[in-house]
Amino acid sequence: MTVNGVPVYQAKAELFRSLGHPVRIRVLELLAEREHAVHELLEQIEVEQSGLSQHLAVLRRTGLVRQQRVGGQVVYSLIGVEAVGLLTSARRLLRELVDESQTLRASLDSDLTHALSTSSTDTDSNPGSDVAPDTPAQRPVTG
């Protein structure tokens, strides 16, 4: 299957590449709430005006946002609702990854605590066991 003559996987990669900057993600989050004039976006995002213009151009080329003149202002809005769903899915995925990471960290901490307590018990019952094998203190003296 292709999209405009490009394999779907490649088109998806290009879409994700266009989302690959925090400023663009923040723009999409703000536009998911409502339309915004450029000056409103600048108030919400720490970026130079020229930088914001470049990021908006990437989002326009990708087809995620549209611009229109309203009075003397340029106003941006999302095209379609699927971008909102993508942002929501990304948030859920991040939450899931953090939860899994915290579970893994807790498991590793538990394993480490167990290993340290076992090591401490072994050392107490075997004096000198804290010396690494084949250190000068344990090598036989040859003369």
Side-chain angles (χ1 to χ4, degrees):
M1 182 183 281
T2 63
V3 176
N4 296 328
V6 176
V8 172
Y9 65 87
Q10 187 174 344
K12 287 179 184 178
E14 290 171 14
L15 172 66
F16 283 114
R17 197 172 11 259
S18 74
L19 299 174
H21 195 283
V23 169
R24 292 183 214 136
I25 296 297
R26 187 64 184 132
V27 166
L28 293 175
E29 289 174 340
L30 290 169
L31 294 179
E33 297 169 2
R34 65 176 178 81
E35 295 181 342
H36 283 276
V38 172
H39 72 86
E40 293 173 323
L41 294 171
L42 282 168
E43 291 170 4
Q44 297 289 321
I45 305 170
E46 261 188 60
V47 65
E48 298 283 330
Q49 183 172 354
S50 61
L52 179 61
S53 293
Q54 291 173 2
H55 290 297
L56 289 168
V58 169
L59 294 172
R60 273 194 323 270
R61 280 192 303 272
T62 306
L64 292 170
V65 302
R66 73 167 130 313
Q67 70 176 18
Q68 58 185 346
R69 283 211 171 269
V70 177
Q73 301 181 58
V74 177
V75 176
Y76 279 85
S77 59
L78 285 179
I79 295 177
V81 296
E82 292 302 320
V84 176
L86 183 60
L87 293 170
T88 302
S89 292
R91 183 177 298 273
R92 285 187 188 132
L93 178 59
L94 286 171
R95 188 176 303 125
E96 184 179 313
L97 293 173
V98 167
D99 289 347
E100 286 182 26
S101 176
Q102 289 173 344
T103 301
L104 176 61
R105 183 174 293 121
S107 176
L108 290 172
D109 288 347
S110 174
D111 289 349
L112 179 61
T113 302
H114 177 72
L116 290 175
S117 68
T118 303
S119 173
S120 172
T121 305
D122 292 347
T123 303
D124 292 343
S125 65
N126 186 6
S129 66
D130 57 337
V131 178
D134 202 29
T135 60
Q138 291 183 334
R139 282 191 207 132
V141 179
T142 57

